[in-house]
Amino acid sequence: MLLDPLRIPDVAWSDPAVHDALSQRDVGALFRRIGQMVGASQTRIGAAVNLEQGYVSRVMAGRKITSIDVLERIADGLRMPDEARMALGLAPKDHSCHLDMALPPRQRQSGLPTNRSWREDLRAAAQLWEGDVNRRDVIRQVAFTSAGYTLPALRWFTAPPARAVEQAGSRSVGQPDIETIREMTATYRRLDNQYGGGHARAAVVRYLHQEVTPLLDNGRYETSTGRMLLSAVAELTQFAGWQAYDVADHGVAQLYLTHGLDLARAADDAGLGAEILAAMSHQATYLGDGATGIDLARAAGQTARRAGFTVLAAEASVMEAHGHAVVKDERACAAALHQAEKTLDRADRSSTPQWLGYFDEAYLSAKFGHCFRALGKPAQAERFAARSLRMDEQYVRGKAFNLALLATAQAQQGDPERACVIGAQALILTSRLRSARAARYMRELQAELAPHRRQPAVQQFIRRVDAVLGTRR
């Protein structure tokens, strides 16, 4: 009968077209392929997933679905196994399910997440850059999910080491090519610190697509050069993810960070891998998932300690502390902060890579301040926020963050006038930035000051924030 339960054979979930549709969250392609395989009409598919036939038709014609609730309904209606659910970016029903099941059977090996080659990692990253440059909806409408970080982190620890990274292309690749990528990355980092992630993000993505992709596709190099090349590309990919995070394109940021981690693994660059895991932790905690932030920070710390990167181990500890603060575990937060401080004290900074140059005592103080703010301890937050301002002035965005943190702590302690004075300094810097994070911190300060809105200084400050950021509805 027309509305009989839709019976999808198990083999369908191993179909390459189905897996591609799931991994790209292309529900229209998924519906079309399922319909072909089982002979199901749009009406029958709609009945199975509790959606109107007209809506199913629009999805199959190209309408994108980004709502997690709708995706969950579709997964339940199609009785997706856990491997298919995770490929779609949803949590498994059976939480003990091995995360490698999110990949097709031909990519599984001995219970490991994947035996994907470094060339496949490069190809996947290049497809991301191309899709981002061309503003494809399948890239730009990807939603962030904490579960989306679990498989890449597991793959980092358990996938076999990359084989020889060598290629016999038509163009010789040498150290000057690699140094060019690193210099471009350093230049973009300086712009990012001074003007925010939105300032040069499009330029970074175009550079990856137009300059780096041909080098990877046509390059000729042996293993030592190949690994240095992959490391440089991984760093720039990670940085592009950080820019997307700063402008609140969180799903896109997640894609870049996970591809950056895969490339760092292929390059056998443990230090960069630890830094990317720490960035993943930073994003998860910022979005309110402290538990995932803790797990990723611990993964970063374990990687850093194994590789002998003491500064990175300190960074991982403070990221873990922030996760504990978000979940209100004060004791664990204090222990992690103490560990971070001790570790940084004994670190040798003489060989710190450029991508870790920001992590110093001022940055550590700022993270302490954020932890105490999350724990509801504004006096301690104010003390560390004030200390964080003894910082390198080139980090304009970081200074805007730290000033906003200090002002918020003052507002929380019932001193709105001082908060407005410091907040005005933060607002001047924020007005020069293209940073959703900086704007969010100003909005949070504005909210803290709202109970004092009868005071003239507060009224004036709130109007100034609205003038710079736009009036909130």
Side-chain angles (χ1 to χ4, degrees):
M1 293 177 62
L2 181 63
L3 298 182
D4 282 347
L6 195 61
R7 291 182 172 83
I8 302 173
D10 291 342
V11 70
W13 304 111
S14 300
D15 180 75
V18 169
H19 187 269
D20 287 346
L22 291 169
S23 63
Q24 296 176 30
R25 276 195 173 167
D26 188 344
V27 178
L30 175 65
F31 284 169
R32 288 193 297 272
R33 183 59 177 155
I34 290 295
Q36 292 169 358
M37 296 179 80
V38 301
S41 65
Q42 293 178 2
T43 301
R44 193 172 177 196
I45 292 172
V49 299
N50 197 23
L51 295 172
E52 294 289 339
Q53 179 273 329
Y55 187 84
V56 171
S57 177
R58 290 191 294 275
V59 169
M60 293 175 74
R63 177 169 181 169
K64 302 301 177 185
I65 295 178
T66 58
S67 166
I68 295 297
D69 290 341
V70 176
L71 291 172
E72 286 280 3
R73 185 189 307 172
I74 291 168
D76 290 342
L78 297 181
R79 295 179 174 82
M80 286 186 191
D82 278 342
E83 57 266 30
R85 291 178 59 88
M86 289 187 290
L88 191 59
L90 302 176
K93 292 290 188 180
D94 177 5
H95 293 284
S96 66
C97 174
H98 283 294
L99 293 171
D100 57 320
M101 295 300 288
L103 296 160
R106 65 181 183 278
Q107 291 184 345
R108 303 174 199 155
Q109 182 181 24
S110 304
L112 300 179
T114 179
N115 195 23
R116 193 167 65 187
S117 72
W118 64 270
R119 285 190 175 86
E120 289 175 303
D121 288 330
L122 280 180
R123 192 176 306 116
Q127 289 172 349
L128 170 62
W129 308 332
E130 181 185 12
D132 200 2
V133 165
N134 294 324
R135 302 186 65 83
R136 291 179 185 158
D137 286 344
V138 71
I139 301 296
R140 308 196 72 81
Q141 293 190 20
V142 169
F144 174 89
T145 65
S146 295
Y149 275 149
T150 311
L151 176 60
L154 183 61
R155 186 162 57 230
W156 170 260
F157 282 105
T158 61
R163 296 179 181 178
V165 180
E166 56 189 16
Q167 184 167 283
S170 58
R171 174 180 174 181
S172 177
V173 176
Q175 195 63 33
D177 299 292
I178 296 167
E179 288 304 318
T180 298
I181 296 173
R182 294 201 183 281
E183 283 297 323
M184 290 297 292
T185 304
T187 298
Y188 285 131
R189 282 192 191 280
R190 286 192 291 272
L191 292 172
D192 176 68
N193 287 323
Q194 293 174 8
Y195 302 107
H199 177 72
R201 196 181 101 70
V204 171
V205 176
R206 281 197 304 272
Y207 180 75
L208 281 165
H209 175 54
Q210 295 174 0
E211 302 295 333
V212 175
T213 296
L215 197 67
L216 298 171
D217 286 346
N218 305 318
R220 182 173 70 253
Y221 41 82
E222 44 79 35
T223 292
S224 61
T225 301
R227 284 188 170 158
M228 287 189 291
L229 175 62
L230 288 190
S231 176
V233 175
E235 180 188 345
L236 185 52
T237 302
Q238 182 265 347
F239 172 66
W242 190 258
Q243 289 181 299
Y245 166 27
D246 192 46
V247 298
D249 283 342
H250 290 293
V252 175
Q254 184 171 42
L255 291 174
Y256 273 93
L257 292 176
T258 54
H259 282 298
L261 186 65
D262 286 337
L263 294 175
R265 177 178 56 82
D268 197 26
D269 191 336
L272 182 57
E275 172 70 1
I276 296 172
L277 288 164
M280 292 174 170
S281 170
H282 197 297
Q283 185 189 24
T285 299
Y286 175 83
L287 293 174
D289 190 345
T292 297
I294 292 166
D295 289 342
L296 290 166
R298 287 172 173 169
Q302 183 177 347
T303 300
R305 286 187 292 273
R306 283 181 179 177
F309 286 90
T310 308
V311 177
L312 270 171
E315 180 190 28
S317 292
V318 79
M319 295 300 173
E320 180 183 344
H322 199 182
H324 288 304
V326 166
V327 299
K328 309 302 182 185
D329 189 339
E330 185 173 347
R331 179 175 296 181
C333 176
L337 288 176
H338 180 63
Q339 183 63 41
E341 204 166 29
K342 284 198 313 179
T343 304
L344 189 61
D345 282 344
R346 67 172 187 268
D348 177 9
R349 303 301 302 266
S350 61
S351 58
T352 300
Q354 68 169 14
W355 42 257
L356 195 56
Y358 66 89
F359 189 78
D360 56 13
E361 287 74 11
Y363 186 92
L364 187 68
S365 294
K367 293 301 288 185
F368 270 59
H370 282 289
C371 288
F372 285 118
R373 178 190 172 188
L375 290 170
K377 295 180 177 294
Q380 293 94 320
E382 180 184 15
R383 184 170 76 253
F384 284 102
R387 190 180 300 175
S388 74
L389 292 171
R390 304 169 193 166
M391 61 184 297
D392 189 330
E393 294 294 323
Q394 71 173 315
Y395 296 105
V396 176
R397 180 181 53 203
K399 187 171 183 180
F401 292 169
N402 296 349
L403 286 167
L405 174 64
L406 176 59
T408 300
Q410 291 166 341
Q412 289 173 337
Q413 293 178 86
D415 194 347
E417 289 193 7
R418 272 206 310 161
C420 288
V421 172
I422 300 299
Q425 297 176 37
L427 184 61
I428 290 171
L429 297 182
T430 300
S431 68
R432 304 172 186 168
L433 298 166
R434 294 178 63 182
S435 167
R437 288 190 295 156
R440 169 175 159 173
Y441 289 138
M442 293 308 305
R443 290 302 193 188
E444 290 174 349
L445 172 59
Q446 191 181 39
E448 291 291 346
L449 288 167
H452 308 281
R453 64 172 62 88
R454 293 180 182 274
Q455 296 187 26
V458 174
Q459 288 180 6
Q460 182 181 14
F461 177 74
I462 289 175
R463 285 197 297 268
R464 288 183 63 187
V465 173
D466 285 339
V468 171
L469 302 182
T471 303
R472 299 186 86 173
R473 292 181 180 179

